[in-house]
Each structure stands twice: as C-alpha cells, then as structure tokens.
C-alpha cells in the first residue's frame, strides 16, 4: 500500500519454533501471502528465534539459516520491503543481522552494533558487534550484498529508511539518530525485548522519543511468546510511532502470528522536517554508511487502517485535562495583559454567538484570578439590522447571570446615519451594508474602552482569520485577541466543557449557544455563515492539514474524499475556496492585534506564519 504520500507499514510477530529454521521460514513465507504493507518488519533473529543460546554456535543451525534465505527469496510473495533477522557468519564470527528483502532480492544487510551483555542478556557470548566490521559487502549464497549501516532510498516516493536492531535504539546516540540527519525519515527496528514489570512503558517512551528526535516514523517489531520461556518472557510488544505520536501498539501476548498495520504520512514527515532547525543545525556525528536505492510500486487503491479524524483540533483523549490546559492558557494570557496594563476594566462585544461567548467566559475567569470586580467587565450587546431574538436573548441572559456591567447599544440609527454620510442606499444589501455594521460596533467598543479606561477584548477565532471571514478594522481589530489561536470547532468544545465545569449554572444558555447556527447576522436573520464558506469542520480539517502536514491542493482533495466521503467536485470546490480566501486575506492577518498561541500552529504574523500580503498562488 503506497499512494499519494501515504505508505502502509507493518510489525509482524510470527509464530515460531525456537531453533526450527525450516518451520520458521515457511511460517514467514505464509504470512507474506496476505501482507498489505509496503514495508513489513519482523523481529530480531526471526529466522531462528532469539533464544537459541549456544545453539547459535552449531553449524547445522547456520546452514539452515542460509538455506532459509534462499527459500525466502524464492517463495516471498510480499510486493514491498520485508526485514528478517538472522545470525550470519562474517569474518569468521557470528553477527546478529537484519536482512532487507525487496521481492526476490536482497537490498542489503545491516548488523547490530550495540550488544547488550548484562542482566539476562549475553549477546557478546555469541555475536560480534557490527561497529567493528569495516567491510561494505558480504557474501551470501553466491552473491555479494551491501553491508553495514545503510540508508535505503526510494527517491520517487520520498521513502528513506534505515535499520536498527533492538539495543541499538537504547544507545545514547543511535544509528537512526545519526542517519535521520542524513535524510532518513523512517527507522525500522527488529527487536527481541523481553517483558518485565514496568518495561513496556519505558520501551514505548523510548520509541516515541526517538521518533520525535528523528522527526519521522519509528517501526518497532518485537519477539513474542513463542520464544523460549526458560528464563525470560516476550510479549510481542509492537509499536509504530510518528513524530513523537503513537499510531498503534499491541502487547497482547498473542500465541499465533500477529500483524499490526499503520499508515505513515510521508508528506507530513517531510513538511515537519523542513521546519525543524534542530535537524538543520545538529552537530555532525560521523557514521560510515552506504546508500542503497530501490523503487516500490504505487497502489491503485489505498485502504487506510483508521478513518481520518474529521475534527483533528478537538482533543480525543484526556478531554477534561485538555480543556483545563487550554482554559489556563487563555485565562492566564489575559491575566498577564490586564496585570501588565494595570487595567481594571474590560470591554467586550457580546453577540450571543460562539466566539464572544468563549471570550466572555475567559474574561470572567481572568478577573477571578486577579480578584477584580466582575462589574469591571463591560459587556456590550449591539443589536443591529439583522439581529435575531435568539442570539440577543442568549447574550442578555449570559451577561446578566454572570453579574457583569451590561450595556445595550442598538446600532440601527448609527448605521443608517452612516449610510447617509457615505451616500449608500440602505436597500442595497452588499458588502458595504454588512461591513458598516461591523465597523460601527468596533467604533463603539473602542470609544467605550476610552470612556472606561479599559481594553477591548477581541473575539475573532483562528478559523475566521484563516478564511478572512472578518471585517478589516471591524471585528478583525481589538486591543487583545483572546481567541486568535482557537479554531471554530475547538470553540464549541471549550464552551461545552465550561458549561460542564466552571459555569454549570449557565449550562442551558451555553448549550443553546452551541446549537445556534453560526451567523454574522449582518444581512438577514436567516443568514448562515456555512452557506457561504462551507462547513467549519471541513475548513478546519483543511487548515489543520495545511499548517501541520503541508499538504498541497491535490493531496488535500484526495484526503477530503477519504475523510468526508465527498465527491471529487465537492472536495475540489472546498480546497479551491479555502486557498483562494486564505491567500487573498493575508493582509488582515498582517495587522492582527496580540493574542496567545494555544495549539502547535498559529497564524500570528509575528511568530508562526510569515507571508507577504501580495503573494500570488494558483489561478
């Protein structure tokens, strides 16, 4: 499985018989019949079993290994890369090696460099470290193959992997760490790590940390319960990680062969690697390695192991802890700004919509942290030409129950007067008609801030900033943009959890605000934002993929069809509309007020996203 920058990988723990090489290789070949991965990693010494002990010395076992290599090359039915572990004789000594197969050929052989020799491990009794062998080729069954540290490349598909064997991963500086600096975006580890109480957590953390440091994928396949249990037990702890995140993990003591799959997003890896200065600037560490090239076949169809997360900005685990972290980031960001400016008053426009509701709740909590009187929050609702009774009533109920200073400032007369001043026909409902209302509201808030010696708290969110769905020098402007780092889908999540935790007495009102269709209410009471710009869930998904994964438009169309089951035309329309708005509206983001970064991405022009306003992309 390989298509459009995605590659399916697998960890395979086979059912084996220790020392029975003929049985083991036939079981492995049988597993290749159904492998759907482009890269499949078997455990350390998988042809013999890791726990052979002094049987490794015996000529019969080694002869069986070399025969098994030929047998596997002849009968292997996997279309992609397969890595098997085997003891090989090199310079008269045994080496614990990983053999990298591509269909019916050997691409190269990588030796284990770090041999454990303490506690239950005695590898130096049998094996020689690959770090002491300088030759670049080894002889196997009539042919010479690349040997040593190797960086394997499929340049056509941007696949660059290297190999570690078990203990190599635990070294202070690993071969994978070094070759990641040379371009490796995947590290494949053939392991036989035994199980004791507490070790699984350490092993998992080590895999995750190596994938984070390497800015890439780490595929870790470990031996299972069919190894000898004379002194130790193996659990088949298989782990696949990407950029420090766990994709899949099994440790179920499976008694039969087990295959664990995951999808690696190579496009995301490369985008992240281009952004990582710790890779660009790392101090060089020398490792004499070879390059080996290969080419994999692309798939006609790609079947993903898991559905795409349609709302990737919303936490899916430890939700309460995530809510508390985000709430603290926003609340203490505002706490610091109020403390720094010695401001006792805050002016905020409250519409009864999602954005102003979250900003208001954050403001209340920040005032509590500062022990300030909540009457210092000047909550202003400004009904206009198209304000609905539902949003107005929710705004009033919210402000009054919170015990704030409530101001009601209808803007109809001011807007109509403004239309006269600029000679605009109020019957012409156009962009002027809508933006005039937004700017009148901002004018009122700014002047009230002067009157009360306070700050105007902005309410606009990250999704609106991405799409430019805000009025320049209207709702785009404030004295502090508290929601600038929060996308629309996450705002719903935050209000929901505020209703469940800190503001239970307002839960009915807050839940109704969440359920209210999103609307600027600038031209009619039935105006719905998503009718104009599309569903926020899809736009936020595009925003996430673009900022986190660097997806181009072609790839986004492909992913949208998979994630939301859109037609090609609808997916294309969403992507084209997003980028048309995103690039053309940069000028609004260039003039953003200060606001806190909350997620690992931001559109703030002073920190995360620097782009000229007059950039030209696409048609």
């Amino acid at each position: 499985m390989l298509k459009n920058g995605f590659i399916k990988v697998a960890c395979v723990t086979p059912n084996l018989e220790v020392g029975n090489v003929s049985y083991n290789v036939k079981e492995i070949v049988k597993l290749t019949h159904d492998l759907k991965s482009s890269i499949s990693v078997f455990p350390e010494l998988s042809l013999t079993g890791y726990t052979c002990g002094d049987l490794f010395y015996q000529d019969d076992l080694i002869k069986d290994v070399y025969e098994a290599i030929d047998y596997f090359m002849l009968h292997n039915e996997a279309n992609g890369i397969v890595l098997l572990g085997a003891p090989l004789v090199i310079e008269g000594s045994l080496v614990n090696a990983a053999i990298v197969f591509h269909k019916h050929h050997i691409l190269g052989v990588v030796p284990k460099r770090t041999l454990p020799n303490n506690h239950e491990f005695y590898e130096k009794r049998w094996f020689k470290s690959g770090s002491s062998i300088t030759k670049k080729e080894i002889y196997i069954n009539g042919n010479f193959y690349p040997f040593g540290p190797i960086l394997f490349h499929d340049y056509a598909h941007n696949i660059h992997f290297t190999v570690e064997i078990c203990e190599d991963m635990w070294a202070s500086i690993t071969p994978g760490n070094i070759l990641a600096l040379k371009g490796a975006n995947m590290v494949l580890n053939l392991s036989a790590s035994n199980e004791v109480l507490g070790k699984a957590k350490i092993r998992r953390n080590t895999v995750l940390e190596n994938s984070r440091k390497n800015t890439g994928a780490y595929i870790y396949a470990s031996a299972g319960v069919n190894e000898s249990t004379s002194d130790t037990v193996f659990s088949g702890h298989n782990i696949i990680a990407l950029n420090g995140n766990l994709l899949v993990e099994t440790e179920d003591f499976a008694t039969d062969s087990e295959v664990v799959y995951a999808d690696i997003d190579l496009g995301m890896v490369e985008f992240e690697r281009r952004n990582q200065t710790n890779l660009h600037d790392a101090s060089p560490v020398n490792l004499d390695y070879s390059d080996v090239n290969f080419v994999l076949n692309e798939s006609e169809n790609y079947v993903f192991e898991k559905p795409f997360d349609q709302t990737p900005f919303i936490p899916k685990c430890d939700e309460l802890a995530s809510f508390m972290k985000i709430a603290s980031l926003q609340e203490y960001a505002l706490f610091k700004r109020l403390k720094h400016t010695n401001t006792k008053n805050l002016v905020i426009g409250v519409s009864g919509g999602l954005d102003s509701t979250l900003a208001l709740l954050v403001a209340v909590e920040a005032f509590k942290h500062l022990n300030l009187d909540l009457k210092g929050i000047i909550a202003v609702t400004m009904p206009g030409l198209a304000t609905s009774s539902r949003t107005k009533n929710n705004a009033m109920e919210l402000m009054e129950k919170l015990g704030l200073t409530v101001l009601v400032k209808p803007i109809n007369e001011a807007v109509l007067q403004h239309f006269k001043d600029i000679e605009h026909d109020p019957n012409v409902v156009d962009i002027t008609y809508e933006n005039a209302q937004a700017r009148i509201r901002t004018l009122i808030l700014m002047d009230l801030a002067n009157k009360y010696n306070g700050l105007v708290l902005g309410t606009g969110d990250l999704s609106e900033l991405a799409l430019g769905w805000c009025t320049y020098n209207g709702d785009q402007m404030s004295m502090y943009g508290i929601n600038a780092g929060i996308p629309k889908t996450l705002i719903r999540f935050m209000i929901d959890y505020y209703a469940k935790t800190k503001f239970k007495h307002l839960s009915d009102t807050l839940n109704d605000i969440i359920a209210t269709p999103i609307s600027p209410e600038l031209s009619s009471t039935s105006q719905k934002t998503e009718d104009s710009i599309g569903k926020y869930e899809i736009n936020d998904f595009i925003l996430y993929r673009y900022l986190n994964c660097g997806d181009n438009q072609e790839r986004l169309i492909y992913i949208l069809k998979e994630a939301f089951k859109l037609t090609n035309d609808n997916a294309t329309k969403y992507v084209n509309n997003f980028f048309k708005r995103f690039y053309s509206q940069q000028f609004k983001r260039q003039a953003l007020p200060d606001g806190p970064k909350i997620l690992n991405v931001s559109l703030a022009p002073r920190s995360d996203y620097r782009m000229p306003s007059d950039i030209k992309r696409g048609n």
Side-chain angles (χ1 to χ4, degrees):
M1 284 282 178
L2 172 67
K3 190 175 182 66
N4 219 333
F6 291 95
I7 183 170
K8 194 177 297 295
V9 299
C11 297
V12 188
T13 300
N15 181 9
L16 58 75
E17 294 181 357
V18 179
N20 190 344
V21 179
S22 176
Y23 173 87
N24 295 339
V25 73
K26 289 175 183 177
E27 178 69 14
I28 290 170
V29 166
K30 185 167 64 176
L31 289 168
T32 67
H33 295 178
D34 300 316
L35 284 176
K36 57 184 180 180
S37 46
S38 288
I39 295 177
S40 305
V41 184
F42 285 73
E44 181 178 11
L45 296 170
S46 43
L47 285 178
T48 59
Y50 179 78
T51 48
C52 287
D54 284 358
L55 187 61
F56 285 125
Y57 293 138
Q58 299 303 313
D59 186 66
D60 283 346
L61 182 74
I62 301 304
K63 180 182 177 182
D64 288 347
V65 167
Y66 281 85
E67 289 177 354
I69 292 171
D70 273 349
Y71 182 90
F72 182 80
M73 281 199 289
L74 181 63
H75 295 92
N76 173 27
E77 294 195 17
N79 285 320
I81 302 293
V82 176
L83 283 78
L84 301 181
L88 299 177
V89 178
I90 301 172
E91 296 178 342
S93 298
L94 284 176
V95 171
N96 183 342
I99 308 173
V100 182
F101 296 91
H102 183 206
K103 298 182 179 178
H104 306 297
H105 307 281
I106 293 176
L107 292 179
V109 178
V110 179
K112 188 172 184 177
R113 299 172 63 83
T114 309
L115 302 181
N117 211 57
N118 57 348
H119 302 300
E120 64 268 45
F121 295 104
Y122 302 95
E123 286 194 31
K124 289 185 179 180
R125 178 181 178 93
W126 306 296
F127 299 112
K128 181 178 182 178
S129 169
S131 61
S132 62
I133 302 173
T134 58
K135 61 171 52 187
K136 294 290 188 178
E137 288 186 323
I138 62 167
Y139 178 84
I140 300 177
N141 297 342
N143 292 289
F144 286 92
Y145 299 103
F147 175 81
I150 300 174
L151 190 45
F152 297 88
H153 306 277
D154 178 348
Y155 284 99
H157 298 108
N158 201 25
I159 299 168
H160 311 279
F161 72 82
T162 190
V163 180
E164 296 178 343
I165 302 177
C166 200
E167 192 75 9
D168 290 336
M169 178 187 74
W170 301 84
S172 299
I173 300 176
T174 76
N177 297 156
I178 298 170
L179 292 182
L181 301 178
K182 304 297 183 182
N185 52 18
M186 288 192 285
V187 178
L188 317 180
N189 189 305
L190 299 77
S191 179
S193 181
N194 69 309
E195 197 56 58
V196 294
L197 184 64
K199 189 173 183 180
K201 181 179 179 181
I202 298 171
R203 188 188 299 118
R204 180 190 311 111
N205 290 341
T206 304
V207 170
L208 292 174
E209 180 59 11
N210 272 284
S211 75
R212 185 201 64 80
K213 287 196 300 183
N214 296 344
T215 314
Y218 204 100
I219 296 92
Y220 182 92
S222 192
V225 297
N226 290 298
E227 289 284 353
S228 170
T229 57
S230 293
D231 296 296
T232 58
V233 178
F234 297 81
S235 64
H237 193 185
N238 296 312
I239 309 168
I240 302 176
L242 181 65
N243 289 1
N245 297 303
L246 182 65
L247 296 185
V248 66
E249 174 184 31
T250 61
E251 190 198 11
D252 50 12
F253 292 85
T255 57
D256 203 356
S257 296
E258 183 175 51
V259 184
V260 181
Y261 293 104
D263 302 305
I264 303 299
D265 187 343
L266 293 170
M268 181 177 70
V269 171
E270 289 309 297
F271 179 72
E272 183 65 20
R273 288 176 70 84
R274 288 194 295 269
N275 278 278
Q276 280 295 340
T277 56
N278 60 1
L279 287 175
H280 309 162
D281 301 334
S283 299
V285 179
N286 291 326
L287 180 65
D288 188 13
Y289 70 96
S290 304
D291 292 287
V292 171
N293 298 325
F294 65 97
V295 178
L296 293 177
N297 295 325
E298 281 210 16
S299 311
E300 285 295 324
N301 297 301
Y302 193 104
V303 180
F304 289 91
E305 292 303 301
K306 297 178 181 179
F308 281 93
D309 181 357
Q310 293 183 338
T311 54
F313 286 123
I314 296 178
K316 301 302 185 300
C317 60
D318 298 326
E319 292 184 10
L320 179 59
S322 298
F323 159 74
M324 294 300 293
K325 173 66 73 172
I326 296 170
S328 295
L329 288 169
Q330 285 193 285
E331 291 166 15
Y332 284 99
L334 184 56
F335 167 95
K336 167 62 177 176
R337 183 53 55 106
L338 293 170
K339 181 179 178 181
H340 172 73
T341 56
N342 195 28
T343 301
K344 304 296 189 294
N345 294 320
L346 196 66
V347 178
I348 178 172
V350 182
S351 67
L354 292 169
D355 294 351
S356 63
T357 296
L358 179 59
L360 190 63
L361 300 178
V362 170
V364 168
E365 290 301 295
F367 265 57
K368 290 178 181 178
H369 297 322
L370 286 162
N371 296 315
L372 294 176
D373 186 350
L374 291 181
K375 290 293 183 181
I377 299 177
I378 319 299
V380 189
T381 187
M382 296 168 280
L385 301 174
T387 299
S388 69
S389 58
R390 181 179 185 179
T391 56
K392 181 180 178 182
N393 291 340
N394 279 337
M396 291 300 300
E397 188 166 351
L398 195 61
M399 296 184 295
E400 290 172 351
K401 286 187 176 180
L402 286 171
L404 316 176
T405 296
V406 179
L407 300 180
V408 181
K409 301 292 182 183
I411 65 169
N412 289 4
E413 290 186 14
V415 170
L416 292 173
Q417 179 59 52
H418 186 58
F419 287 162
K420 290 180 182 179
D421 294 340
I422 65 172
E423 298 179 353
H424 179 76
D425 183 351
N427 295 312
V428 177
V429 180
D430 59 3
I431 191 68
T432 303
Y433 181 95
E434 294 188 4
N435 283 352
Q437 296 174 74
R439 291 194 177 101
I440 288 291
R441 287 185 170 121
T442 301
L443 176 64
I444 291 171
L445 294 176
M446 290 290 181
D447 289 341
L448 285 173
N450 289 146
K451 179 178 179 180
Y452 289 101
N453 193 29
L455 297 179
V456 174
L457 188 64
T459 62
D461 63 59
L462 182 64
S463 304
E464 292 179 343
L465 292 172
L467 296 165
W469 193 251
C470 52
T471 300
Y472 190 79
N473 206 31
D475 54 315
Q476 170 256 3
M477 186 49 60
S478 66
M479 296 172 182
Y480 195 66
I482 195 62
N483 291 337
I486 306 280
K488 188 75 76 178
T489 48
L490 186 56
I491 283 182
R492 285 196 181 102
F493 169 88
M494 292 300 296
I495 295 174
D496 178 52
Y497 266 88
Y498 267 120
K500 293 174 180 175
T501 56
K502 300 185 179 187
F503 295 96
K504 293 180 180 180
H505 64 295
L506 293 173
S507 59
D508 288 344
T509 304
L510 294 176
N511 287 330
D512 192 61
I513 289 170
I514 292 171
T516 302
I518 300 168
S519 172
E521 296 189 333
L522 293 173
S523 61
S524 74
T525 55
S526 62
Q527 183 186 26
K528 296 179 181 179
T529 297
E530 290 178 312
D531 289 344
S532 298
I533 61 174
K535 293 183 179 298
Y536 270 112
E537 284 79 5
I538 297 178
N539 282 311
D540 277 3
F541 182 88
I542 296 172
L543 178 64
Y544 176 89
R545 294 291 313 183
Y546 178 65
L547 294 181
N548 282 280
C549 310
D551 291 332
N552 60 28
Q553 292 178 239
E554 178 186 356
R555 196 161 187 255
L556 277 167
I557 292 168
Y558 169 74
I559 295 171
L560 280 185
K561 291 190 291 184
E562 290 286 337
F564 293 93
K565 307 307 176 188
L566 299 179
T567 65
N568 188 75
D569 287 346
N570 284 338
T572 302
K573 181 179 178 181
Y574 261 104
V575 171
N576 288 344
N577 287 344
F578 177 90
F579 282 107
K580 180 180 179 180
R581 296 196 65 93
F582 184 84
Y583 288 118
S584 67
Q585 301 296 296
Q586 174 66 12
F587 74 99
K588 294 178 181 177
R589 298 188 289 269
Q590 294 286 61
L592 276 183
D594 290 351
K597 179 177 179 177
I598 304 299
L599 306 173
N600 66 330
V601 293
S602 165
L603 290 175
R606 294 167 297 275
S607 57
D608 276 38
Y609 204 84
R610 297 172 179 85
M611 184 174 72
S613 298
D614 52 0
I615 197 166
K616 180 67 174 177
R617 290 284 296 166
N619 295 323

